[in-house]
């Protein structure tokens, strides 16, 4: 369906054309002076140069032409040549009807569906998650959902770090602790046990201690490097052990991501690119892109007109081992083969910007990726503690996602008990609501900031009922749902809005009708904070309306039906926006 702005632009185009002016000047935008008008067209100012006429004359011609257009309540000239527009309430209601009936809530979709790879999450098997992984999951999920709702085919790929030195460290440590396991017996030819020899809790303890040991003990470090290499060469016992460790880790990750309402279409990892590495290196050398430099293999990337210098990318180190960039290049080959994407988004923290730039430049230079395929690095800043340093747990250790979720859930439960939320829930309902509210607070508290900025994790502020917070939005939706349920119980019916009746209701409609444009802006800028702002603006305008009017108590039946229809439309749109943000709505609060 068309947005209200598109419809008004079309009407304006006809008028420009009829007056002999180019339609390119006819664009209508939302007014930046809502006290004066709802929409405006500034094209006469730009057209003045081409037609050598005063802007006011051009605007005057167009306004005259628009006389008799029934959708306008007023079209007026504002000096030096703006056209200020106010549409009729009937027109607004008509458009609202269309939005409410539309299966994408009135948000137009792209005509062509592109296949988009969103590389986000990026946790490392056996290693603890850090705030960067948390932000990647939250931001990536919402951008993926936004892209999808606008009509793209989206493939979210978690791109697990499952093939690096950490795996060799863990394998070596397990070998030292449990040398009797069959995985380490090179002559063993039988079946391997079904389950892993360690559970997730043990695995979480093994990695840090192995990592520490490798820093103090050179022999152990070398052993781990050797194990990494042998794993990558698929030494049978190591590979089988690795598979089981990966599964233990993935099961835990799935649990945490489920709580965050984050999900991936592809659970692939660095290991899935392995088979492409050797032929890729061979080809890079054969085609003359990769050459030896101090024993290492590198590809030059610099171009004459580079504004920022871009160093060569390292393909293999002098000891023959491969690097982070090597797997990322090979992953492009795998993705081109399996998904044929039209576009790539990498949602990774700001510090990896150069890395992705190098990988992209190399892939295009060597023909692994078509030159025309857009690759966007969607970088983000850090979630800091109140001390301004990257967020840590209370004991100063690295954050565990499960602990963070527990922290926000407990804080939300505390709020509920202290009376900020209405009670009369069963214990089970309370638990589920606290989890949803806590996670919503965390996610909205993150997404409301422009992604490239750092922000401070402040659970008290995130949980507040006032201002731009998750709970503020959830409460708005939950309250509308309960209102609509009460109306239903009382047998009150409503269909569409027939009139507006008051200024605050009109404001709600105008706020709602501005959302499609904002979502496209959010998409272009890859900025979930714009989606957050939309949701907040809509909730705030509805709350103003709600406070100014009785809804269920309204005795004029037509008016009451209109208020209910308006409430239902707001509920639908808020739920739609929260779904883009991947924020779940509790049943009650
Ligand atoms: N595993 C990486 C890390 O922990 C993030 C992966 C990001 N994605 C990528 N294609 N490099 O830093």
């Amino acid at each position: 369906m068309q947005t209200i702005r598109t419809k008004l632009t079309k009407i304006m185009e006809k008028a420009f054309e009829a007056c002999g002016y180019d339609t390119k000047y006819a664009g209508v935008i939302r007014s930046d002076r809502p006290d004066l008008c709802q929409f405006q067209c500034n094209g006469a100012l730009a057209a003045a140069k081409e037609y050598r006429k005063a802007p006011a004359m051009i605007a005057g011609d167009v306004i005259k032409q628009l006389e008799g257009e029934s959708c306008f309540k007023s079209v007026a000239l504002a000096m030096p040549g703006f056209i200020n527009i106010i549409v009729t309430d009937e027109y607004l209601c008509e458009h609202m009807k269309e939005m409410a009936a539309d299966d994408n809530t009135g948000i137009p979709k792209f005509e062509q569906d592109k296949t988009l790879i969103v590389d986000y999450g990026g946790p490392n098997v056996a290693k603890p998650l850090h705030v960067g992984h948390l932000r990647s999951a939250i931001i990536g999920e919402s951008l993926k959902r936004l892209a999808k709702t606008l009509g793209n085919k989206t493939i979210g790929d978690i791109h697990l770090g499952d093939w690096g030195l950490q795996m060799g460290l863990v394998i070596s440590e397990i070998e030292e602790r449990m040398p009797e396991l069959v995985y380490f017996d090179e002559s063993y030819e039988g079946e391997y046990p079904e389950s892993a020899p360690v559970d997730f809790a043990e695995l979480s303890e093994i990695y840090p201690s192995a990592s520490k040991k490798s820093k103090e003990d050179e022999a152990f470090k070398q052993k781990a490097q050797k194990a990494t290499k042998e794993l990558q060469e698929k030494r049978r016992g190591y590979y089988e052990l690795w598979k089981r460790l990966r599964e233990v880790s993935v099961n835990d990750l799935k649990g945490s991501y489920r709580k965050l309402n984050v999900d991936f279409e592809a659970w692939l990892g660095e290991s899935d690119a392995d088979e492409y590495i050797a032929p890729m290196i061979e080809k890079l050398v054969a085609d003359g892109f990769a050459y030896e430099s101090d024993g290492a293999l590198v590809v030059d990337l610099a171009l004459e007109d580079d504004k920022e210098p871009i160093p060569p990318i390292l393909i293999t180190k002098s000891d023959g081992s491969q690097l982070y960039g090597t797997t990322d290049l090979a992953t492009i080959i795998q993705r081109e083969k399996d998904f044929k994407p039209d576009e790539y988004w990498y949602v990774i923290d700001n510090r990896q910007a150069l890395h992705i730039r190098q990988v992209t430049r190399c892939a295009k230079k060597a023909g692994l990726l078509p030159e025309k395929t857009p690759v966007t690095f969607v970088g983000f800043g850090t979630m800091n503690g109140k001390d301004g340093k990257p967020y840590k747990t209370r004991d100063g250790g690295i954050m565990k996602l499960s602990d963070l979720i527990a922290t926000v859930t407990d804080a939300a439960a505390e709020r509920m008990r202290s009376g900020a939320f209405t009670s009369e829930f069963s214990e089970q309902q309370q638990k589920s609501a606290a989890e949803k509210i806590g996670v919503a607070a965390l996610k909205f508290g993150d997404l409301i900031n422009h992604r490239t900025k750092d922000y401070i994790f402040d659970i008290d502020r995130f949980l507040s009922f006032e201002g731009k917070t998750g709970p503020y939005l959830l409460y708005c939706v939950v309250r509308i749902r309960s209102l609509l349920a009460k109306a239903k119980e009382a047998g009150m019916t409503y269909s569409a809005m027939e009139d507006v009746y008051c200024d605050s209701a009109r404001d709600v409609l105008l706020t709602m009708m501005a959302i499609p444009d904002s979502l496209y802006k959010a998409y272009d800028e890859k900025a979930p904070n714009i989606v957050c702002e939309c949701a907040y603006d809509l909730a705030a305008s509805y709350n103003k309306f709600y406070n100014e009017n009785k809804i269920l108590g309204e005795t004029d039946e037509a008016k009451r039906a209109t208020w209910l229809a308006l409430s239902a439309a707001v509920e639908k749109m808020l739920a739609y926006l929260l779904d883009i943000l991947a924020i779940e709505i509790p049943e009650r609060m």
Side-chain angles (χ1 to χ4, degrees):
M1 76 169 276
Q2 291 176 350
T3 66
I4 194 162
R5 219 169 53 78
T6 307
K7 286 183 185 171
L8 295 174
T9 297
K10 290 210 162 141
I11 296 172
M12 199 58 86
E13 281 173 354
K14 265 202 257 151
F16 269 72
E17 198 168 26
C19 302
Y21 302 122
D22 198 317
T23 53
K24 72 175 182 218
Y25 297 116
V28 172
I29 55 173
R30 198 183 185 202
S31 161
D32 54 18
R33 287 287 307 272
D35 52 323
L36 295 179
C37 59
Q38 299 165 340
F39 299 93
Q40 64 192 70
C41 170
N42 305 341
L45 295 147
K49 279 197 206 84
E50 180 176 337
Y51 299 104
R52 293 167 184 279
K53 269 193 195 174
M57 277 178 71
I58 297 176
D61 292 345
V62 173
I63 290 170
K64 212 160 175 337
Q65 187 63 37
L66 288 169
E67 265 170 30
E69 259 317 327
S70 62
C71 64
F72 298 125
K73 184 166 175 229
S74 82
V75 186
L77 169 70
M79 289 311 263
F82 300 103
I83 302 174
N84 285 353
I85 301 166
I86 297 177
V87 301
T88 64
D89 289 344
E90 295 82 77
Y91 188 74
L92 286 178
C93 290
E94 217 26 69
H95 188 72
M96 188 61 245
K97 253 186 230 169
E98 245 186 87
M99 284 181 82
D102 182 70
D103 28 343
N104 204 36
T105 327
I107 314 297
K109 294 196 177 201
F110 289 118
E111 272 158 31
Q112 267 187 326
D113 55 348
K114 283 185 300 194
T115 299
L116 173 66
I117 289 271
V118 188
D119 179 317
Y120 69 108
N124 300 312
V125 166
K127 269 189 178 174
L129 287 164
H130 56 67
V131 289
H133 298 122
L134 172 77
R135 292 210 71 193
S136 179
I138 294 178
I139 296 168
E141 180 72 22
S142 69
L143 288 176
K144 180 184 79 179
R145 288 174 180 232
L146 174 64
K148 186 169 179 191
T149 198
L150 298 185
N152 293 285
K153 279 204 198 92
T154 48
I155 300 166
D157 182 354
I158 185 166
H159 198 67
L160 287 168
D162 62 357
W163 208 229
L165 179 63
Q166 88 268 23
M167 299 313 305
L169 283 166
V170 169
I171 290 173
S172 302
E173 179 65 19
I174 296 180
E175 185 163 10
E176 292 209 339
R177 292 188 191 186
M178 295 175 256
E180 70 287 356
L181 293 177
V182 283
Y183 304 100
F184 307 118
D185 175 359
E186 280 194 84
S187 62
Y188 184 73
E189 286 180 351
E191 295 280 311
Y192 289 93
E194 224 170 85
S195 58
V198 293
D199 63 15
F200 183 72
E202 288 165 303
L203 190 56
S204 316
E205 178 271 317
I206 288 172
Y207 172 74
S209 80
S211 162
K212 186 159 169 273
K213 197 191 280 183
S214 76
K215 283 177 194 122
E216 295 155 357
D217 176 346
E218 185 54 33
F220 181 76
K221 186 175 158 193
Q222 281 179 14
K223 188 174 166 190
Q225 282 167 342
K226 185 160 168 270
T228 309
K229 203 151 183 283
E230 288 178 348
L231 167 69
Q232 293 176 348
E233 288 158 0
K234 303 223 172 102
R235 172 172 152 176
R236 192 166 167 260
Y238 283 3
Y239 190 61
E240 290 299 318
L241 174 59
W242 168 83
K243 273 200 225 160
R244 287 158 181 75
L245 297 175
R246 188 184 191 273
E247 193 179 299
V248 167
S249 212
V250 165
N251 283 340
D252 177 76
L253 285 168
K254 285 196 169 160
S256 296
Y257 283 126
R258 198 175 311 117
K259 286 191 178 158
L260 285 177
N261 201 19
V262 167
D263 197 11
F264 301 90
E265 286 68 27
W267 280 81
L268 298 173
E270 293 177 347
S271 62
D272 292 285
D274 185 63
E275 59 178 295
Y276 301 96
I277 291 182
M280 174 183 83
I281 296 178
E282 221 169 88
K283 193 167 167 356
L284 287 175
V285 174
D287 292 349
F289 294 115
Y291 66 92
E292 227 184 274
S293 160
D294 292 330
L297 205 56
V298 302
V299 176
D300 283 335
L301 302 174
L303 293 175
E304 240 172 60
D305 51 0
D306 281 336
K307 283 185 203 82
E308 278 167 62
I310 173 164
I313 186 168
L314 223 63
I315 305 293
T316 55
K317 285 203 282 199
S318 48
D319 65 0
S321 60
Q322 298 137 12
L323 294 106
Y324 187 36
T326 325
T327 15
D328 265 321
L329 282 170
T331 301
I332 291 181
I333 301 179
Q334 174 263 319
R335 288 175 176 164
E336 287 295 303
K337 176 172 158 283
D338 295 341
F339 306 126
K340 298 184 186 50
D342 298 297
E343 200 171 329
Y344 287 71
W345 293 0
Y346 288 97
V347 187
I348 322 178
D349 88 70
N350 284 335
R351 284 167 302 186
Q352 296 194 21
L354 177 62
H355 167 72
I356 293 300
R357 216 172 132 230
Q358 288 178 297
V359 167
T360 308
R361 174 78 64 91
C362 181
K364 290 192 173 178
K365 178 175 179 176
L368 311 178
L369 185 67
E371 188 59 47
K372 64 170 198 328
T373 303
V375 175
T376 309
F377 176 75
V378 185
F380 51 82
T382 318
M383 175 174 111
N384 289 328
K386 285 190 179 152
D387 58 0
K389 297 200 190 104
Y391 181 80
K392 293 217 166 105
T393 50
R394 233 166 303 169
D395 58 12
I398 293 178
M399 177 204 68
K400 281 210 206 84
L401 195 49
S402 47
D403 292 347
L404 184 67
I405 293 171
T407 304
V408 294
T409 304
D410 289 349
E414 189 57 44
R415 273 279 161 115
M416 290 166 79
R417 271 193 295 275
S418 70
F421 303 86
T422 34
S423 47
E424 4 150 333
F425 288 79
S426 73
E427 203 159 300
Q428 187 48 38
Q429 277 175 318
Q430 277 196 30
K431 209 170 153 257
S432 140
E435 195 163 291
K436 285 188 177 146
I437 294 164
V439 170
L442 172 71
K443 293 181 93 171
F444 198 88
D446 182 301
L447 292 169
I448 186 72
N449 307 287
H450 191 278
R451 64 175 160 77
T452 57
K453 302 252 157 59
D454 296 348
Y455 73 94
I456 290 179
F457 174 78
D458 180 350
I459 191 62
D460 294 329
R461 193 164 52 80
F462 292 178
L463 270 173
S464 162
F465 248 55
E466 298 300 322
K468 297 178 181 177
T469 69
Y472 176 82
L473 284 164
L474 293 184
Y475 188 65
C476 184
V477 184
V478 169
R479 190 165 68 175
I480 301 178
R481 287 187 176 170
S482 120
L483 172 91
L484 295 173
K486 279 189 196 138
K488 194 171 170 201
E489 254 169 55
M492 297 172 183
T493 54
Y494 57 90
S495 54
M497 284 188 73
E498 299 299 345
D499 201 346
V500 161
Y501 297 111
C502 68
D503 291 345
S504 58
R506 188 182 302 105
D507 283 343
V508 174
L509 291 187
L510 288 165
T511 307
M512 183 115 73
M513 290 170 192
I515 289 174
D517 288 315
S518 301
L519 292 187
Y520 275 88
K521 186 166 188 270
Y523 175 82
D524 288 341
E525 295 177 12
K526 324 242 174 327
N529 62 306
I530 297 180
V531 184
C532 292
E533 295 287 351
C534 278
Y536 174 77
D537 286 348
L538 183 60
S541 76
Y542 178 80
N543 285 342
K544 181 165 184 286
F545 155 81
Y546 182 91
N547 292 330
E548 282 175 8
N549 293 284
K550 290 195 299 270
I551 299 179
L552 297 178
E554 176 57 56
T555 46
D556 177 332
E557 228 170 275
K559 203 168 170 183
R560 190 180 63 214
T562 284
W563 288 168
L564 288 170
L566 179 71
S567 304
V570 170
E571 185 275 330
K572 189 174 169 206
M573 183 61 94
L574 281 178
Y576 176 88
L577 295 174
L578 287 169
D579 188 58
I580 293 177
L581 299 171
I583 290 178
E584 291 181 287
I585 303 164
E587 247 173 83
R588 304 170 60 184
M589 42 195 296

